[in-house]
Amino acid sequence: MASGEDLSEYFTGTHEVEECLDCEGEADPPLSSKVCKKSHEGFIVADKFTIEHLPVGYQDNDLYDLVNAMAGLTVQIKVKYTSADRPELIPGTEDLYPCSKYKGEKRVMFYVTGRVWMVRKYMEGMDGYRTSPCASVGHTCTAGQDLWLVDVMTSRHVVFDAIEARNSTCRLWYDNGQSPKVNIDGWKVGVSNTDQDICVLHCVTHDPDVAQKLSKTRQLFVR
């Protein structure tokens, strides 16, 4: 894509971020359609979805498994800091870059979604990583403790750079308002592209059950 090209087709209508101003502590927004501006007519909560909800002619077990797998890989990303390095404008346009008005802010949290892309067991030195990510995300590790990297695909206007990555968490399996909180911590940004508005957020977890469940769901999704 040429520099300066009009990118409005990539951004118009795509930057939907739920903002939380002056948030207290780690409070999360309610998982309810009542706080969303979109139409939720016919909305089905993930853990209530059955094969009968698929249109007639599409009630196929493989398609049902695919939808469930997609739901199982969808995460809620919470970003607790807005980088001062965000651009003012969407490249090639006169439109404000999403969340640029909050640059350098810690009083603003915003919530968006992403999808688990890959799950890998961390090995020292893998992919050029010279040190374990634990120190940078505030983990205290014991000797020999296993660590997994969870790559989450999202948009760059969601997680713009490394400082936003380190101030991010991803909530897994939030199927209803009573779902237990299972979080993985953001670590760093991998592949990213401002023009195409894509970003891979590298997250970490020490929980083998979380890693195994995500791995199995991903295998179901890509089979």
Side-chain angles (χ1 to χ4, degrees):
M1 179 175 296
S3 177
E5 183 177 345
D6 185 353
L7 303 176
S8 58
E9 63 178 294
Y10 291 101
F11 283 88
T12 301
T14 63
H15 47 280
E16 300 176 78
V17 175
E18 183 174 347
E19 301 172 357
C20 183
L21 303 177
D22 298 309
C23 292
E24 295 291 336
E26 297 294 310
D28 288 329
L31 298 174
S32 168
S33 60
K34 295 179 181 179
V35 299
C36 182
K37 298 178 182 179
K38 294 181 180 179
S39 170
H40 286 77
E41 183 178 356
F43 178 80
I44 304 166
V45 179
D47 61 353
K48 302 297 183 183
F49 177 72
T50 68
I51 196 169
E52 285 75 23
H53 287 115
L54 293 171
V56 174
Y58 293 90
Q59 293 179 358
D60 176 83
N61 286 327
D62 286 340
L63 181 56
Y64 175 67
D65 288 343
L66 178 65
V67 174
N68 277 322
M70 174 66 83
L73 296 174
T74 299
V75 304
Q76 180 194 63
I77 304 173
K78 175 167 66 176
V79 184
K80 297 177 282 186
Y81 179 78
T82 308
S83 173
D85 291 331
R86 280 184 176 243
E88 294 288 344
L89 302 175
I90 295 172
T93 78
E94 296 300 318
D95 299 326
L96 289 176
Y97 193 82
C99 301
S100 61
K101 62 183 177 180
Y102 300 128
K103 292 200 302 183
E105 289 277 6
K106 292 185 177 179
R107 68 183 183 91
V108 182
M109 295 185 190
F110 49 93
Y111 299 82
V112 284
T113 57
R115 175 166 66 85
V116 172
W117 182 257
M118 188 176 296
V119 182
R120 301 172 289 163
K121 190 171 183 179
Y122 176 80
M123 305 295 290
E124 185 176 353
M126 70 181 295
D127 296 344
Y129 303 144
R130 297 181 180 178
T131 59
S132 169
C134 293
S136 62
V137 299
H139 283 190
T140 300
C141 303
T142 58
Q145 188 174 17
D146 289 332
L147 179 71
W148 286 266
L149 304 182
V150 181
D151 295 345
V152 174
M153 179 67 75
T154 187
S155 301
R156 194 170 191 195
H157 78 262
V158 169
V159 182
F160 185 77
D161 58 13
I163 191 169
E164 290 190 6
R166 291 193 298 271
N167 283 277
S168 299
T169 58
C170 294
R171 183 175 178 183
L172 311 174
W173 311 310
Y174 56 108
D175 294 336
N176 58 56
Q178 288 72 50
S179 297
K181 288 188 178 181
V182 181
N183 293 327
I184 54 178
D185 295 314
W187 171 36
K188 63 185 294 184
V189 169
V191 175
S192 64
N193 186 295
T194 302
D195 290 352
Q196 296 181 5
D197 196 30
I198 59 172
C199 168
V200 175
L201 172 63
H202 295 316
C203 301
V204 296
T205 180
H206 285 290
D207 192 327
D209 294 332
V210 167
Q212 183 179 43
K213 183 175 179 179
L214 287 175
S215 294
K216 287 183 176 180
T217 305
R218 183 181 177 278
Q219 290 170 6
L220 183 63
F221 179 75
V222 300
R223 75 178 186 185

